[in-house]
Amino acid sequence: MRRCPTFFLLALATASYGQAPSQRPAITGISHVAFYSSDLEAAKKFYGGLLGLAVEPPQMNKYHVGVQAVELEALPAGHGPNLTAHVAFATPDAEGVRKYLASHGVAVPDKVSAGGGGALWFAMKDPEGNPIEFVQARPELTGRRAETPVSKVMIHAGFVVHDRAAEDKFYKDLLGFHVYWHGGMKDDETDWIDMQVPDGTQWLEYMMVREGQQLTPRTLGVLNHIALGVPSVSDAAQLLRSRGWKPSENEKEQIGKDGKWQLNLYDPDGTRVELMEFTPVQTPCCSAYTGPHPH
């Protein structure tokens, strides 16, 4: 298992000034997820065409999922196979989260940044070095084009995790995330751990990788993913078919180990976009649900 990077320190004591740690502001869900793309025009056909996600000029590589978004960035020269640029969590108080983490000894920027539309945010890395952000909630966006999106909400995002204990110290113990469900390809193994945000129903999925396991670019594309919530996978598949999609061995309707209908899609770079129903239709393997379902 990998150790926490040395730059990431969790101090269980109070801040050096002797003051009590500040109270953690709410963390309500996922704000957006950003991926690198080797071909932004090809990605446009997938996210804007097939999925029907709207963009708003001048941000032509930001695809809206309700009030959330999938952001695409041009793949830098020489970049490795991990195409997740960052995962951003929503909060009504970005500065409060920054101060809270700082009071516990976590390395954070000296101040929040201001973005378009009045958004406030800051970027950092979690114990495994995964880039994450905390973004202050913004008013609902309006004025989008009329095409029908396949989904209006992103219900979870997943990325590779090697050291669950290190990640749990940050997400569970410090930020208040809790296990929503966990399971694996076999009932006695744990490959996925769904960590629900403390103040909402969306979740971060630990995609567990065992020590020594080799990850190909294709495998990374499967593990580092997002899930878009749909009331009916069957209806979503019918909409996709009307736009030219055809099922295949890797892209087909199925019931997952969590008991929910799902449909895995892959963008031009092999990044997985999972369509998932909000509630299970059968008893999940491995563990029971311990939190409310998304909606």
Side-chain angles (χ1 to χ4, degrees), residues 224-239:
N224 296 325
H225 71 285
I226 58 173
L228 307 182
V230 296
S232 166
V233 162
S234 178
D235 290 348
Q238 183 175 350
L239 177 62

Side-chain angles (χ1 to χ4, degrees), residues 3-295:
R3 298 181 180 275
C4 299
T6 56
F7 63 83
F8 185 95
L9 299 176
L10 287 178
L12 299 180
T14 58
S16 59
Y17 295 101
Q19 300 174 348
S22 58
Q23 183 176 358
R24 175 189 59 78
I27 300 171
T28 57
I30 297 169
S31 166
H32 66 272
V33 177
F35 294 112
Y36 292 115
S37 170
S38 65
D39 188 335
L40 293 172
E41 281 302 311
K44 180 180 180 180
K45 295 178 182 178
F46 177 81
Y47 289 99
L50 180 62
L51 299 185
L53 304 181
V55 296
E56 293 180 338
Q59 297 176 306
M60 301 306 294
N61 295 313
K62 180 176 182 179
Y63 296 88
H64 296 285
V65 188
V67 297
Q68 301 161 292
V70 179
E71 297 182 0
L72 300 182
E73 301 178 16
L75 182 65
H79 187 79
N82 187 341
L83 299 182
T84 299
H86 63 264
V87 173
F89 299 102
T91 175
D93 185 2
E95 174 63 7
V97 174
R98 191 196 67 79
K99 287 182 176 178
Y100 173 78
L101 292 174
S103 75
H104 286 78
V106 178
V108 294
D110 293 335
K111 60 181 180 180
V112 298
S113 298
L120 299 176
W121 62 279
F122 69 93
M124 59 172 292
K125 292 186 177 181
D126 77 5
E128 288 223 349
N130 294 307
I132 61 173
E133 295 181 358
F134 291 91
V135 180
Q136 188 159 325
R138 295 164 292 178
E140 183 171 353
L141 302 172
T142 58
R144 300 174 191 153
R145 62 186 191 197
E147 281 88 335
T148 302
V150 72
S151 170
K152 296 181 179 180
V153 61
M154 187 188 307
I155 59 176
H156 77 258
F159 54 51
V160 168
V161 167
H162 297 82
D163 190 339
R164 178 182 178 180
E167 293 289 79
D168 275 352
K169 285 182 180 178
F170 179 66
Y171 291 106
K172 178 176 176 288
D173 299 341
L174 186 56
L175 292 179
F177 286 54
H178 60 88
V179 176
Y180 168 61
W181 175 80
H182 66 84
M185 295 302 295
K186 299 179 180 179
D187 289 355
D188 60 348
E189 295 181 354
T190 299
D191 298 308
W192 321 293
I193 304 164
D194 297 347
M195 299 297 293
Q196 202 165 43
V197 300
D199 306 291
T201 60
Q202 296 161 17
W203 67 91
L204 169 66
E205 187 168 22
Y206 295 174
M207 306 299 288
M208 298 303 303
V209 173
R210 294 171 178 80
E211 186 174 2
Q213 182 178 347
Q214 298 300 310
L215 300 179
T216 65
R218 176 178 173 79
T219 300
L220 279 170
V222 173
L223 300 180
N224 296 325
H225 71 285
I226 58 173
L228 307 182
V230 296
S232 166
V233 162
S234 178
D235 290 348
Q238 183 175 350
L239 177 62
L240 295 176
R241 287 188 183 94
S242 73
R243 295 171 177 168
W245 172 82
K246 294 181 180 179
S248 66
E249 181 60 29
N250 293 322
E251 296 189 345
K252 61 183 179 181
E253 300 169 57
Q254 58 188 349
I255 298 177
K257 293 287 188 176
D258 57 2
K260 298 180 182 180
W261 276 104
Q262 62 184 43
L263 169 59
N264 290 318
L265 303 170
Y266 294 87
D267 79 3
D269 284 294
T271 296
R272 181 163 62 103
V273 176
E274 180 181 21
L275 305 184
M276 175 180 282
E277 292 189 3
F278 299 111
T279 55
V281 294
Q282 65 183 37
T283 302
C285 85
C286 314
S287 68
Y289 285 102
T290 58
H293 297 303
H295 50 80

